[in-house]
Amino acid sequence: MTAVVTDAPDLRRYEATVDGRLAGFAVYRDEGTSRVFLHTEVFPEFEGKGVGSALARGALDDVRVSGRSLVALCPFVSDYVDRNPDYADLVDHGLDASLRAR
């Protein structure tokens, strides 16, 4: 199953589609030059098929290409970064700590 990940900035989310069907999304907001991930959802019929990982990878690759940093308030994206240390350099630790302290 191949998921295509695109940014839908008007909805402030990345979307994963499979065969043209929306399979999941990752909601974000921007704070300065950081993209803050708030929530990720994969629809039940696509769970366990790699859609979530493809969604996280595509979103984080886009963050890197755009020159942004990231804050993963979303547990799924946070766990993905922990499991894939190639993305650890993108984390804005100062903003992360500030947002979590609120």
Side-chain angles (χ1 to χ4, degrees):
M1 181 171 297
T2 301
V4 176
V5 178
T6 55
D7 186 10
D10 53 322
L11 298 173
R12 294 187 183 144
R13 69 185 192 180
Y14 288 93
E15 297 179 337
T17 57
V18 175
D19 296 329
R21 293 178 52 213
L22 184 63
F25 56 88
V27 178
Y28 64 81
R29 75 172 185 259
D30 291 333
E31 292 213 15
T33 60
S34 291
R35 184 144 285 176
V36 181
F37 287 89
L38 304 169
H39 174 72
T40 300
E41 187 170 332
V42 174
F43 300 133
E45 61 268 30
F46 297 100
E47 287 180 356
K49 298 178 181 176
V51 172
S53 292
L55 179 55
R57 184 174 49 255
L60 297 179
D61 287 347
D62 185 65
V63 168
R64 183 179 303 283
V65 168
S66 72
R68 293 181 173 278
S69 57
L70 74 92
V71 174
L73 297 181
C74 165
F76 183 85
V77 175
S78 180
D79 289 346
Y80 187 86
V81 171
D82 288 346
R83 289 189 319 271
N84 296 274
D86 291 351
Y87 294 109
D89 63 306
L90 297 176
V91 177
D92 181 336
H93 295 283
L95 181 58
D96 184 274
S98 174
L99 292 174
R100 290 179 191 281
R102 291 184 188 172

